[in-house]
Amino acid sequence: MAQSSSSSGNETLSMKIILAGIGKRFSKVTNISTNEVQKSVDDGSDTDEKRYLLFDVREKKEFDVSHIADATFIDESHSRNQKVGAVLKVVQERMTQNDNANNPLNVYMYCSIGYRSSALISEIVKDKEFEVLLKSNLRFYNMEGGIFQWVNEGRPIVDCNNDRTNYVHPYNGVFGKLLFKRHRYQD
């Protein structure tokens, strides 16, 4: 029992150190906690009109193992223009469907821990196509700690068949150690 506690403590400390580094690297990106994202997801499930979009910015093999339900997949292996274009298309569709343009539309992005999603947000806010949209009620947030933090906190995830699962693709051997061992997917 004590071994699992110290292991979790080391994983938590490592996560904090890495998140601080990501925050410093992408200091202009606004982070949001998993608690706040969960609240939006829970609030939106009771209405026909969700006031958020959720994007998963990882590779297909990672997304297929698990993702947050309702997340739109953005393939990290694609070019910058393809990724920005894919996000723009989904955002524009949602904004044209929205009758009440006065309400903000929150865009939450996540990856394994937050680096790739922060990098994409950094690209989006510099993109000319988003310039007008960003002046409206559109806000981008990086979900701090990504899907690793989400699942380590016991929040639900689904696989490619939309069945609940407890496993997350570890991205690689180093970053996978930030996942609690019980959540690490093994190929």
Side-chain angles (χ1 to χ4, degrees):
M1 189 83 121
Q3 184 180 21
S4 120
S5 297
S6 65
S7 173
S8 295
N10 289 338
E11 290 163 348
T12 302
L13 178 60
S14 297
M15 179 72 91
K16 287 179 183 179
I17 292 168
I18 290 170
L19 293 180
I22 293 170
K24 185 174 182 177
R25 169 77 169 89
F26 300 103
S27 60
K28 294 185 178 178
V29 171
T30 304
N31 288 303
I32 190 165
S33 72
T34 53
N35 288 334
E36 289 298 313
V37 173
Q38 180 74 60
K39 186 174 185 278
S40 287
V41 169
D42 291 346
D43 290 348
S45 65
D46 294 338
T47 65
D48 290 336
E49 184 182 324
K50 295 178 184 166
R51 296 304 310 146
Y52 71 91
L53 289 168
L54 184 63
F55 289 96
D56 184 308
V57 186
R58 296 182 295 154
E59 293 182 9
K60 181 82 168 120
K61 65 184 178 184
E62 295 172 86
F63 183 82
D64 286 348
V65 170
S66 63
H67 55 274
I68 300 171
D70 286 337
T72 299
F73 174 62
I74 301 296
D75 196 335
E76 168 56 25
S77 67
H78 286 172
S79 73
R80 174 220 177 269
N81 288 343
Q82 288 172 312
K83 291 184 285 193
V84 171
V87 172
L88 179 62
K89 180 181 177 189
V90 174
V91 167
Q92 286 176 326
E93 286 173 1
R94 174 60 67 83
M95 291 185 93
T96 45
Q97 292 171 355
N98 180 21
D99 292 335
N100 189 355
N102 293 328
N103 288 334
L105 177 61
N106 295 322
V107 178
Y108 306 129
M109 293 192 164
Y110 71 90
C111 59
S112 296
I113 58 170
Y115 188 91
R116 294 176 285 179
S117 48
S118 291
L120 182 55
I121 292 170
S122 292
E123 292 298 322
I124 286 169
V125 298
K126 294 186 289 189
D127 193 273
K128 295 283 187 214
E129 296 287 330
F130 276 94
E131 197 170 332
V132 172
L133 294 174
L134 288 167
K135 290 179 182 175
S136 67
N137 285 327
L138 179 66
R139 303 291 178 260
F140 282 86
Y141 299 94
N142 175 61
M143 187 176 79
E144 191 171 46
I147 196 168
F148 287 9
Q149 182 80 25
W150 182 272
V151 76
N152 283 346
E153 293 172 346
R155 299 179 198 286
I157 53 175
V158 296
D159 63 18
C160 60
N161 298 316
N162 278 331
D163 293 327
R164 289 219 32 191
T165 185
N166 292 315
Y167 298 105
V168 174
H169 191 287
Y171 179 64
N172 67 28
V174 174
F175 287 106
K177 291 180 181 177
L178 298 172
L179 274 168
F180 293 161
K181 199 171 190 172
R182 66 182 175 272
H183 296 301
R184 288 183 210 145
Y185 174 78
Q186 302 291 321
D187 282 330

